[in-house]
Amino acid sequence: MRVLVDVSHPAHVHLFRNAITELDDRGHEVRVVSREKDVTTDLLDAYGIDHVPLSAKAGGAAGVAREWTARGARLLRQVAGFRPDVVLSRLNPTAAYVSRLVGAPNVVFHDTEQAGLLDRATTPFATVVCTPAEFARDAGTHQIRYEGYHELAYLHPARFDPDPRRLTDAGVDPDEPFSVVRLVEWSAHHDAGAAGFDPDTVRELVDRLGESGAVYLSSEGALPDDLAPYEAPVAPDAAHDLLAYADCYVGDSGTMATEAALLATPTVRYDPYESSMGNFETLAELGLVDSIADERAVVERAVELAADPDAADRWRRRRRRLLGEKIDVTAFMVELAEEVGTS
């Protein structure tokens, strides 16, 4: 079986990397096409995954249109030459359209209820749309709901065991208290009308969390000069090791909030949307993620958790309960790819 995997964002690397390896180990021919955005290609290289870059992130509406038009043409050439039996992707209209054009089934993994136009432009053309069971929208008769989250494709205990050496090699002591603060650019298609932390709020977080231990910043964009010394020193592919040993996570990234919660790290998510997302409702009910819309309240809750010596034990108990109800998403992904690709 021939499998083509479209990877256009760092989160997609983590979502698909274990399935790529497992499909290859099972004797299937796997081709990965990539996009030069943030650390996407760096992560693929770090995990030893061969890939074909098709485009680089462009700025502005006109630049984005040119990039994705060119990407679609290049993807069509790749698909026509490779002749995949199945195409795996996130919510990506280019992959869906090209797959439909050449008659290859496209399996889409989708977990963002706010995707809006991108959702409407992609899901009708997909063969299968896979969503977490809590996903709050109906994607049609070709939707498959599963008991898991994208992040469990790489953070399920069967797939990930944090390595303290990844931290010590970077100068981080895993046995000493520290917090992680994540800052995103809010430039994605589903981020319209939203904004991240005010820079002064970030400075306050650094100062006040610093009373309980070290503070490491993870940022999609360049940090101001006064915050640059706090940038996390670990390699991009060691970010989950850093999260696993952290005493507190706070940030405006939904993905990293979910990752931290699944690693039993006390988690505060800044949620300027104030919107309903099924996965965060479940994580809140279990006490694994505190989603807060007010910046001041976010700061106070994060400072409280970082100073609480019992928080980690509470999160570990809650994580065990969650994992008892969820699946290894990579195993599900591989089984589904084989089912669709050989039918």
Side-chain angles (χ1 to χ4, degrees), residues 6-325:
D6 191 307
V7 174
S8 59
H9 186 281
H12 306 177
V13 179
H14 296 304
L15 174 63
F16 291 121
R17 61 182 170 85
N18 288 314
I20 290 167
T21 300
E22 192 158 324
L23 286 164
D24 182 70
D25 289 345
R26 292 187 180 213
H28 303 301
E29 186 176 357
V30 183
R31 179 173 298 184
V32 177
V33 295
S34 62
R35 180 180 182 227
E36 294 176 0
K37 171 182 166 56
D38 303 328
V39 296
T40 303
T41 55
D42 293 336
L43 283 171
L44 288 167
D45 293 339
Y47 289 119
I49 297 173
D50 293 333
H51 59 100
V52 180
L54 298 185
S55 67
K57 179 186 176 184
V64 170
R66 285 194 297 270
E67 180 202 343
W68 284 93
T69 299
R71 183 178 180 84
R74 294 169 188 147
L75 180 60
L76 179 59
R77 289 196 290 271
Q78 287 288 326
V79 170
F82 184 57
R83 295 180 295 111
D85 297 295
V86 63
V87 175
L88 305 181
S89 69
R90 277 288 308 264
L91 197 66
N92 182 338
T94 301
Y97 299 159
V98 168
S99 298
R100 175 67 68 92
L101 186 62
V102 302
N106 176 211
V107 177
V108 170
F109 287 83
H110 179 19
D111 69 347
T112 306
E113 285 97 329
Q114 288 90 1
L117 178 61
L118 194 62
D119 183 315
R120 296 190 294 275
T122 304
T123 56
F125 299 91
T127 308
V128 179
V129 178
C130 300
T131 68
E134 297 96 333
F135 191 73
R137 294 189 59 255
D138 182 355
T141 58
H142 57 324
Q143 180 179 12
I144 296 177
R145 296 179 182 270
Y146 61 90
E147 287 292 345
Y149 307 120
H150 285 187
E151 293 79 8
L152 282 173
Y154 51 96
L155 294 180
H156 189 280
R159 305 291 169 179
F160 179 71
D161 187 18
D163 185 353
R165 293 171 299 180
R166 303 297 308 278
L167 305 190
T168 54
D169 289 348
V172 177
D173 188 340
D175 297 320
E176 292 296 320
F178 65 87
S179 298
V180 174
V181 179
R182 173 63 171 170
L183 310 171
V184 299
E185 286 188 311
W186 293 99
S187 58
H189 59 86
H190 53 269
D191 294 332
F197 282 118
D198 180 270
D200 287 339
T201 300
V202 177
R203 294 181 176 94
E204 183 179 358
L205 273 169
V206 169
D207 288 342
R208 296 187 61 190
L209 289 172
E211 296 172 4
S212 297
V215 180
Y216 299 109
L217 300 181
S218 168
S219 177
E220 284 187 343
L223 291 168
D225 290 344
D226 63 317
L227 294 176
Y230 297 95
E231 184 171 13
V234 301
D237 61 316
H240 300 130
D241 301 284
L242 185 71
L243 274 183
Y245 283 97
D247 294 85
C248 178
Y249 164 82
V250 56
D252 49 13
S253 165
T255 296
M256 193 167 280
T258 305
E259 291 171 340
L262 294 177
L263 292 168
T265 298
T267 298
V268 182
R269 168 181 168 250
Y270 176 42
D271 177 25
Y273 287 120
E274 292 190 88
S275 57
S276 174
M277 294 181 68
N279 61 326
F280 285 114
E281 290 179 1
T282 298
L283 292 171
E285 289 169 2
L286 290 171
L288 283 165
V289 174
D290 289 339
S291 293
I292 302 172
D294 179 73
E295 278 190 326
R296 302 302 320 147
V298 167
V299 172
E300 296 304 325
R301 181 58 172 153
V303 170
E304 178 186 9
L305 284 175
D308 183 350
D310 300 320
D313 286 340
R314 294 198 304 274
W315 254 258
R316 280 191 286 268
R317 290 195 297 270
R318 295 163 183 173
R319 174 182 183 257
R320 283 196 294 271
R321 178 182 169 192
L322 175 74
L323 291 176
E325 302 169 356

